[in-house]
Amino acid sequence: QVQLVESGGDSVQAGGSLRLSCAASGYHYSWYYMGWFRQASGKEREGVAAIARDGSTLYADSVKGRFTISKDDAKNTLYLQMNSLKPEDTAMYYCATGFIFTLGTYGYNDWGQGTQVTVSS
């Protein structure tokens, strides 16, 4: 059974940085595509970044140049480095695994419980 556990969420001021982690178990995650998603209060879940098995990456336009997705295959851990945070980045952040290299939620079938990121101005 796939298990994904996110951590690293916190409250920070605008301009600050955070690094989110997602520990995966139950399979070797290098077999799958991995992604970070976020859902702000009252809004739909949206794709933030995705990484393929070969290390190729996708980013939402809103985070390009500020966020970096990476993975450590030896630790089965996915990361999201978030710099220059803005209040509009406030959301619950989720990691997910799937079989399609996309930022669309339809491409992912296993999800973590999420970690909250709050950015104050």
Side-chain angles (χ1 to χ4, degrees):
Q1 183 177 355
V2 173
Q3 287 189 328
L4 301 170
V5 180
E6 302 94 336
S7 62
D10 205 345
S11 296
V12 296
Q13 290 192 328
S17 298
L18 284 174
R19 188 175 81 156
L20 305 183
S21 299
C22 173
S25 61
Y27 66 104
H28 197 284
Y29 81 165
S30 66
W31 300 340
Y32 298 78
Y33 299 106
M34 301 286 292
W36 283 101
F37 296 79
R38 66 186 181 187
Q39 188 166 16
S41 179
K43 294 188 177 181
E44 292 188 354
R45 191 170 298 188
E46 62 175 359
V48 174
I51 189 165
R53 286 165 286 190
D54 65 358
S56 300
T57 56
L58 293 173
Y59 292 97
D61 289 343
S62 59
V63 306
K64 281 181 181 176
R66 300 190 298 123
F67 291 10
T68 302
I69 188 171
S70 63
K71 61 189 178 81
D72 185 329
D73 289 345
K75 295 182 178 180
N76 265 18
T77 302
L78 179 73
Y79 301 101
L80 185 68
Q81 177 67 44
M82 305 187 294
N83 299 327
S84 302
L85 283 162
K86 304 175 181 180
E88 50 263 44
D89 294 319
T90 295
M92 185 71 79
Y93 282 71
Y94 301 88
C95 68
T97 66
F99 295 96
I100 302 174
F101 190 37
T102 177
L103 291 179
T105 57
Y106 62 87
Y108 297 81
N109 48 301
D110 292 298
W111 297 81
Q113 294 301 305
T115 186
Q116 178 68 36
V117 172
T118 303
V119 184
S120 58
S121 58

